[in-house]
Amino acid sequence: GENVEQHPSTLSVQEGDSAVIKCTYSDSASNYFPWYKQELGKRPQLIIDIRSNVGEKKDQRIAVTLNKTAKHFSLHITETQPEDSAVYFCAATPKETSYDKVIFGPGTSLSVIP
Amino acid sequence: GAVVSQHPSWVICKSGTSVKIECRSLDFQATTMFWYRQFPKQSLMLMATSNEGSKATYEQGVEKDKFLINHASLTLSTLTVTSAHPEDSSFYICSARQRSYNEQFFGPGTRLTVL
């Protein structure tokens, strides 16, 4: 089955700096890669996603890149703000069945220091 | 956007009892619902996938007789933790998606504590 790895597990940046989180996946048939932000005790919130036919996607301060050949994808947050502090999860959707289940990475705890 | 609710938001029960958690899609028809479990400071682990009107598909290592899932309608799925034990204490989160759409919408989660 699909296996998603994520690095780093923790990340501290100064306010205004950029943050980069990297993920790898194992199933070359995976075709959808969402990123979620989860605050303590809350539900995951989708912040950006990318499909396998696209190499890069940007939404204001957030961007995601995908390298299908290497099975890598990354999240880039620019001009970080304290409210960006949370746990971020990458995920992949293996095309095993028509159910399109989402497999989560282990998460990255991001701290933005004012 | 699409809204998913869960009930209850938290529950405390005695060891050996059963607990039912409801997941509802409030403004869309959810052809597929997913149940996750999340232990403190860990990721979301998929437990099972359910499609309306059919049996749930459980992930490897998840006991289907212990975690009963019912998806009786396009807006409701339930997870019943049977004979709960302290090690079942966790944060249980459901998500729902519409047919032909990748995005899943998550419920707010249910904090289960088994004494």
Side-chain angles (χ1 to χ4, degrees), chain A residues 4-58:
Chain A
V4 180
E5 296 186 353
Q6 186 171 347
H7 300 280
S9 56
T10 60
L11 179 61
S12 290
V13 298
Q14 289 291 135
E15 182 178 358
D17 288 349
S18 295
V20 180
I21 301 171
K22 298 183 179 182
C23 290
T24 61
Y25 61 99
S26 61
D27 187 348
S28 57
S30 290
N31 58 6
Y32 175 65
F33 305 91
W35 284 87
Y36 295 92
K37 174 184 180 182
Q38 187 182 30
E39 297 175 353
L40 189 62
K42 301 279 184 69
R43 76 187 85 192
Q45 299 276 2
L46 179 71
I47 55 171
I48 196 168
D49 57 14
I50 191 167
R51 287 171 172 75
S52 59
N53 59 346
V54 175
E56 185 173 352
K57 183 177 178 181
K58 188 175 181 180

Side-chain angles (χ1 to χ4, degrees), chain A residues 43, chain B residues 6-10 21 91-94 106-111:
Chain A
R43 76 187 85 192
Chain B
Q6 258 182 265
H7 180 82
S9 56
W10 59 270
I21 302 170
F91 193 50
Y92 291 85
I93 307 177
C94 71
F106 285 85
T110 297
R111 175 78 56 192

Side-chain angles (χ1 to χ4, degrees), chain B residues 11-95:
Chain B
V11 57
I12 302 172
C13 68
K14 293 182 178 180
S15 186
T17 60
S18 294
V19 174
K20 179 185 283 189
I21 302 170
E22 292 186 350
C23 177
R24 293 181 184 272
S25 56
L26 299 184
D27 52 2
F28 68 101
Q29 292 186 330
T31 50
T32 306
M33 286 186 169
F34 303 87
W35 286 95
Y36 296 87
R37 180 167 53 183
Q38 186 176 32
F39 292 109
K41 297 187 177 181
Q42 294 190 21
S43 186
L44 284 81
M45 299 300 296
L46 181 65
M47 299 175 68
T49 303
S50 73
N51 285 277
E52 184 263 341
S54 62
K55 288 184 179 180
T57 302
Y58 289 81
E59 294 298 302
Q60 193 172 8
V62 178
E63 301 174 58
K64 61 180 180 181
D65 294 331
K66 181 171 180 63
F67 299 99
L68 302 179
I69 292 172
N70 184 280
H71 191 164
S73 76
L74 284 171
T75 60
L76 173 65
S77 178
T78 61
L79 167 68
T80 301
V81 183
T82 62
S83 187
H85 288 93
E87 57 265 31
D88 298 322
S89 299
S90 187
F91 193 50
Y92 291 85
I93 307 177
C94 71
S95 70

Side-chain angles (χ1 to χ4, degrees), chain A residues 46-107:
Chain A
L46 179 71
I47 55 171
I48 196 168
D49 57 14
I50 191 167
R51 287 171 172 75
S52 59
N53 59 346
V54 175
E56 185 173 352
K57 183 177 178 181
K58 188 175 181 180
D59 183 5
Q60 299 184 335
R61 297 187 297 110
I62 296 173
V64 59
T65 58
L66 171 65
N67 182 329
K68 280 190 63 179
T69 303
K71 290 186 279 189
H72 289 177
F73 58 117
S74 300
L75 177 73
H76 304 252
I77 306 175
T78 58
E79 300 173 28
T80 53
Q81 302 166 2
E83 50 265 39
D84 294 329
S85 297
V87 179
Y88 290 80
F89 294 100
C90 61
T93 299
K95 196 66 177 177
E96 294 177 7
T97 69
S98 60
Y99 304 152
D100 290 345
K101 62 185 181 182
V102 173
I103 304 300
F104 283 78

